[in-house]
Amino acid sequence: MLVQSIAFALVGLVVGLTALLALPTYYRAPRGLTLGTALAAALVGGAVAHFSLDGHYPAGAIAASAAASTALTSLLARPDLAAGRAPAHRHHPHRAGAHRAARRHRPA
């Protein structure tokens, strides 16, 4: 189990570093939080997989560790705050007053 725990930790660090290096604008949280989330998710996911597979399939436990780490690390991604992206909502800031001018009250 010690060797697998080291493998789980390495998988978590690789997932966390890949997320930070591949999409740095999506992860606005501190780097330690992203790496810590990836590491903790890999260790917990790997341990759960190891015990549920009864230790017979170490490759399956490592794959489950990578899947858990990827899934929980992706929850920290904020693509709406990435640089250069338009806001996802329907109100455009450059046309803030455009919809107000079109509505006029008609006399009764």
Side-chain angles (χ1 to χ4, degrees):
M1 179 71 186
L2 178 66
V3 174
Q4 284 185 353
S5 297
I6 293 171
F8 299 153
L10 289 175
V11 164
L13 290 176
V14 167
V15 167
L17 286 173
T18 302
L20 288 174
L21 293 176
L23 302 168
T25 58
Y26 280 28
Y27 292 95
R28 297 290 181 156
R31 293 175 189 226
L33 178 65
T34 305
L35 287 175
T37 301
L39 180 63
L43 288 172
V44 171
V48 168
H50 173 77
F51 289 116
S52 63
L53 295 174
D54 204 24
H56 294 297
Y57 302 102
I62 291 174
S65 169
S69 181
T70 303
L72 288 180
T73 304
S74 71
L75 294 177
L76 297 175
R78 294 289 310 267
D80 56 332
L81 297 179
R85 290 186 52 109
H89 51 80
R90 61 186 175 111
H91 301 290
H92 300 285
H94 61 277
R95 299 185 319 177
H99 67 280
R100 291 186 188 146
R103 284 194 238 167
R104 296 185 186 194
H105 296 290
R106 295 182 187 173

